[in-house]
Amino acid sequence: MDGTQTQAHRIPFNRVACLGRERDYLADAVASGRIGGGGPYSARVRATLERALGVPLALPTTSCSDALEMASVLLGIGPGDEVVVPSFAFVTVAGAFALRGARIVFADVRPDTLCLDEERLAERIGPRTRAVVALHYGGVACEMDAVLGLAARHGLAVVEDLAHGPFASYRGRPLGSFGALACLSFHETKNFSCGEGGALLVNDPALARRAEIVHEKGTDRTRFLAGAVDKYSWRDLGGSYGLSDLQAAFLLGQLEQRETVRDRRARLWRRYDAGLAAWAEAHGVARPAVPAHSGPPDHLYFLVMPSAADRDGLIEHLGRRGILAVFHYVPLHLSEMGRRYGGRPGDCPQAERAGARLLRLPFFTTLSDAEQDEVIDAVTDYVPRPAGSGRCGAD
Ligand SMILES: Cc1ncc(COP(=O)(O)O)c(C=O)c1O
């Protein structure tokens, strides 16, 4: 599901590459002897994210899942609370809050963007709801005006899941700057990577001081390192959430190339869309939709096939040509854990449709035009069963 290679493919789903000064920075970190968390490279990653995203505080973390866990701790989520999450999402989007004892409530996604369906969100909110996770699927923005409006009316915290879309925007403003908190991923399958890594963006100033404590194992070590206190001690709940400086060094090299990376990936997205449009229209295959006020997508390119059999058939067809395409999330409400929270078939029809019929094509920064053309040719050689047609959501 995460694009892990299980067999040799000539054109893999994902390929991580050094794009700038990653190796130099890594060697420098090793030579400096400072490779733990909270070192100089972490500080530079933090400053880069804060500046580029216009957020007051960015804490580099061991993963996006851990940033989500931090969010759960910071919001004081506990037994008796409910958290609304999109069903078409990665497991830890729910698991981070379940770990703190929350009841998970699953919301459906829009048929066109596969982001949280803002029109159906209200029906999932009840007296115990404390927070909602807005996952910007594929780096395409959720309808943040509607989500934030609803959250404000009900007194809910919004946590943005920005694993797919760092540096993407909504109405010209960076994603990650809208919710009280936002979570980024730097896992190897993401646009920028250090193997495993993430960041927590803290927009609510009331949470900032505590966020630094939770991040530092529940201690005030950050203030100690800044010379504000003469020793540090256990102050609150917390975990070992800081990214090591080895990983931060590699990550900084990647983040510094963000303009090149974004341009290249946005171009790949447009080439897929243009190259597959006629075939998709002819065969009832839905392509991703991008609302005008969402920044250009650059994380993944998906197709929603007319049937689950067609989806599996196309993955096999591409596999025979040495191309690895992959499906994505198993809807959370249908998972073993999701059913324990009351999830039933039919609860989130669009998540179920995407879970059964969506596939993602190879998509990585160093995918060459020739490789991409080969993927496009292979896809357009495939003939699904006839059905409706159009953009995602039109069928
Ligand atoms: C939307 C989303 N959120 C969170 C995560 C978890 O990220 P990480 O592997 O950095 O914990 C993933 C992982 O793929 C994801 O797709």
Side-chain angles (χ1 to χ4, degrees), residues 43-280:
R44 289 172 70 182
V45 164
R46 175 175 168 162
T48 302
L49 293 174
E50 288 169 359
R51 243 193 337 268
L53 298 170
V55 298
L57 178 62
L59 297 171
T61 59
T62 32
S63 65
C64 183
S65 301
D66 282 347
L68 286 160
E69 260 184 63
M70 280 187 69
S72 185
V73 172
L74 282 168
L75 296 175
I77 301 295
D81 293 335
E82 290 182 1
V83 176
V84 180
V85 309
S87 176
F88 194 62
F90 191 70
V91 285
T92 50
V93 171
F97 299 95
L99 264 179
R100 308 288 313 149
R103 179 169 173 268
I104 306 302
V105 176
F106 301 104
D108 206 358
V109 292
R110 289 170 54 125
D112 54 355
T113 60
L114 307 182
C115 291
L116 202 57
D117 185 342
E118 70 284 355
E119 306 237 314
R120 300 203 50 203
L121 184 56
E123 63 199 53
R124 304 295 164 151
I125 295 172
R128 291 174 177 275
T129 312
R130 293 282 317 286
V132 55
V133 179
L135 191 169
H136 306 296
Y137 186 74
V140 172
C142 292
E143 289 300 323
M144 291 311 286
D145 288 345
V147 172
L148 291 169
L150 205 55
R153 279 199 293 287
H154 293 272
L156 315 180
V158 173
V159 178
E160 293 180 71
D161 181 323
L162 196 48
H164 296 179
F167 313 117
S169 61
Y170 173 75
R171 298 196 191 283
R173 190 173 138 190
L175 293 183
S177 64
F178 291 91
L181 299 162
C183 303
L184 271 61
S185 175
F186 301 119
H187 179 259
E188 72 168 13
T189 52
K190 303 305 187 290
N191 295 12
F192 306 92
S193 170
C194 57
E196 301 276 356
L200 180 73
L201 311 181
V202 185
N203 294 312
D204 180 348
L207 299 175
R209 176 96 173 256
R210 193 161 169 244
E212 294 198 310
I213 292 175
V214 172
H215 187 241
E216 270 291 359
K217 304 155 175 107
T219 75
D220 51 355
R221 181 168 176 264
T222 305
R223 299 196 73 221
F224 169 72
L225 293 177
V229 288
D230 60 3
K231 55 180 164 322
Y232 68 89
S233 61
W234 189 17
R235 311 286 293 218
D236 204 330
L237 295 179
S240 188
Y241 293 122
L243 189 67
S244 91
D245 239 41
L246 277 182
Q247 287 168 295
F250 191 91
L251 180 59
L252 182 68
Q254 298 251 307
L255 292 175
E256 284 180 345
Q257 298 302 313
R258 60 189 177 281
E259 295 306 327
T260 314
V261 170
R262 295 208 64 216
D263 285 354
R264 175 71 197 147
R265 297 181 73 107
R267 181 169 175 276
L268 287 173
W269 197 99
R270 289 193 304 271
R271 287 185 94 245
Y272 266 140
D273 206 48
L276 295 172
W279 169 84

Side-chain angles (χ1 to χ4, degrees), residues 16-38:
V16 179
C18 289
L19 305 164
R21 303 190 61 195
E22 293 91 330
R23 288 189 181 87
D24 296 342
Y25 289 161
L26 212 40
D28 182 55
V30 172
S32 78
R34 292 203 54 191
I35 57 173

